[in-house]
Amino acid sequence: MTDINAAASCEVSRRRNIALVGAAVHRHRLFSKSGMSERAFTFAFSTLVYPQIWEDPVVDAEALALEPDHHVVTIASGGCNILSYLTVAPVKITAVDLNTAHVALNRLKLACTQYLPDHKAFYQFFGDANTRENIRLYDDLIKHRLDPEVQAYWNGREVSGRRRIERFARGFYRYGLLGRFIATGHGLAKLLGGNPRAMLKARTLAEQRQIYDRELKPLFAKPMVRRILDQRSALFGLGIPPAQYDALSGGRPMHEVVEERLEKLACDTPLSENYFAWQAFNRGYASGGEGPVPPYLEARHFETLRANARRVEIRHQSYTDYLASLPAASADRYVLLDAQDWMADADLTELWQEITRTSRPGARVIFRTAGIETILPGRVPHAILSQWDYQSETSTTLGAKDRSAIYGGFHLYIKAA
């Protein structure tokens, strides 16, 4: 595909992406303050947001209780959790996403599971993600296996003139809204006298606490940091739209919430077990696999991953629209990430109508919320929600295990018998 055709294809995809995201996010008039904030987020979300997903797949797997041939419907995002589910059981997965960059990333990952020669090459591509050899592997083994739209995305040129695929030669996890948000945080911290990378020197939880108290905690007393974090647009880099900002803050100043969540990330789980902390403080996984990684990147799972990867379908579509295309009682597990925080009551109701219609007996739904409590009671009609049992105690227990520390609540619903 020529550069001109690739650019045209990417522009069509980008416009469709903006339209889909806008339909999900926009609630206010264009020229209102809230409306302009929503449209700024939509524009930001039209590019790659999550090079890595920030929901803990180990917690997901425990909640989902996956069994062979379950049909799992999920949001794709960065794709880490989809592939990690495949290491647990040979399930069928349909992953939808409004973002064309996420669709392209997921289809690239699936192709690499099939056509890279071994785990070493696969880890080099998505674990280290920072060598020119990855580009040779892409051009020789992967590119021609991708559909034209995905080829157009990865062959498309950035402002620098480099192809997007070259991000995998330059530290892929430093790209996307999230990667740049973390980079900005590192830069601001250093400017103000802190050093996030110092966290990586810790060998015990006690040392993690000491380094956090010395290097990071004082930053939240700085007026500049507080002012920045208390702006709604400051958290666009975390993929947090204006509607979710209020749920995350819970009426508190946002800098207090961010400090609380960062402290949990830095201090509650040993660094040797928390790849989310490595992403935050190292801007990538530990070099050469010398640290924790998502299950799909572990060598012991590679052959299982390769065998099961053909059971995944990636669709550029809204979650509700996809469910509406399914017959009744045809799905077993639903993963909503934090998408419901974005939704108006009417959208929530339509979504849960389709979940309820398409779910088999014993189906499970998991999701996360910026706030602590489940958001469904009083917003989804009782006639629908009464068909589901909320697992309050299990949800609290699993939420406490989530190593990413980003979300306030984890929630599990099981369809009543």
Side-chain angles (χ1 to χ4, degrees), residues 134-151:
N134 291 336
I135 312 309
R136 185 193 68 77
L137 289 171
Y138 170 81
D139 285 330
D140 291 352
L141 302 177
I142 304 299
K143 179 172 62 178
H144 63 285
R145 308 281 188 174
L146 301 173
D147 63 77
E149 189 170 330
V150 174
Q151 279 193 50

Side-chain angles (χ1 to χ4, degrees), residues 63-376:
L64 291 169
L66 297 170
E67 297 180 3
D69 297 321
H70 272 164
H71 183 192
V72 180
V73 183
T74 182
I75 297 171
S77 189
C80 315
N81 287 20
I82 294 168
L83 298 185
S84 291
Y85 300 158
L86 295 177
T87 70
V88 177
V91 294
K92 172 187 175 182
I93 298 177
T94 305
V96 301
D97 208 289
L98 302 179
N99 188 310
T100 53
H102 292 163
V103 170
L105 176 58
N106 276 269
R107 290 181 179 166
L108 175 67
K109 284 184 172 181
L110 289 173
C112 286
T113 65
Q114 298 296 298
Y115 302 113
L116 289 179
D118 50 31
H119 175 263
K120 180 180 178 181
F122 187 74
Y123 189 89
Q124 175 184 278
F125 213 112
F126 295 106
D128 293 331
N130 63 356
T131 174
R132 292 296 307 177
E133 176 66 9
N134 291 336
I135 312 309
R136 185 193 68 77
L137 289 171
Y138 170 81
D139 285 330
D140 291 352
L141 302 177
I142 304 299
K143 179 172 62 178
H144 63 285
R145 308 281 188 174
L146 301 173
D147 63 77
E149 189 170 330
V150 174
Q151 279 193 50
Y153 178 82
W154 291 112
N155 290 334
R157 303 282 174 174
E158 302 187 278
V159 174
S160 64
R162 300 187 187 96
R163 292 185 298 164
R164 288 191 185 93
I165 193 63
E166 293 187 43
R167 294 172 179 177
F168 289 94
R170 302 172 61 82
F172 177 68
Y173 296 104
R174 301 187 174 207
Y175 289 88
L177 281 183
L178 180 59
R180 293 188 176 96
F181 178 87
I182 292 173
T184 300
H186 276 243
L188 181 60
K190 291 178 181 178
L191 179 66
L192 297 175
N195 181 12
R197 287 184 61 84
M199 288 295 308
L200 305 176
K201 299 176 182 178
R203 294 297 175 263
T204 66
L205 280 174
E207 289 181 3
Q208 287 174 220
R209 167 63 65 181
Q210 292 169 2
I211 295 172
Y212 173 81
D213 287 345
R214 183 183 72 240
E215 298 290 342
L216 301 178
K217 185 177 180 64
L219 298 175
F220 291 94
K222 305 284 187 181
M224 177 189 296
V225 173
R226 294 186 174 195
R227 284 196 300 269
I228 290 173
L229 291 177
D230 289 343
Q231 298 293 319
R232 289 174 179 265
S233 59
L235 299 190
F236 282 4
L238 290 176
I240 295 175
Q244 195 176 23
Y245 185 97
D246 292 333
L248 179 60
S249 69
R252 300 161 58 195
M254 184 57 74
H255 69 268
E256 292 182 5
V257 178
V258 174
E259 179 181 4
E260 183 181 272
R261 305 287 168 90
L262 183 63
E263 182 177 6
K264 185 176 188 295
L265 178 67
C267 302
D268 281 17
T269 305
L271 284 172
S272 61
E273 302 172 12
N274 193 353
Y275 65 85
F276 297 102
W278 276 89
Q279 284 286 344
F281 303 127
N282 189 54
R283 300 177 62 198
Y285 304 124
S287 178
E290 296 299 317
V293 292
Y296 84 96
L297 285 175
E298 295 179 22
R300 64 192 176 108
H301 291 313
F302 182 69
E303 292 306 322
T304 300
L305 177 65
R306 191 195 288 274
N308 291 338
R310 295 185 184 277
R311 301 174 68 89
V312 179
E313 178 186 17
I314 309 297
R315 301 175 67 99
H316 186 207
Q317 190 174 17
S318 81
Y319 204 106
T320 303
D321 286 349
Y322 171 69
L323 293 183
S325 72
L326 294 180
S330 59
D332 304 280
R333 300 294 187 262
Y334 302 79
V335 182
L336 299 171
L337 305 185
D338 63 337
Q340 292 176 116
D341 277 356
W342 302 20
M343 295 183 177
D345 290 1
D347 298 322
L348 275 176
T349 296
E350 185 180 4
L351 171 64
W352 276 87
Q353 281 176 332
E354 290 301 332
I355 289 174
T356 302
R357 183 186 67 82
T358 58
S359 57
R360 295 188 177 109
R364 296 184 174 215
V365 181
I366 64 171
F367 60 92
R368 288 166 173 83
T369 50
I372 296 172
E373 304 298 329
T374 176
I375 61 172
L376 301 183

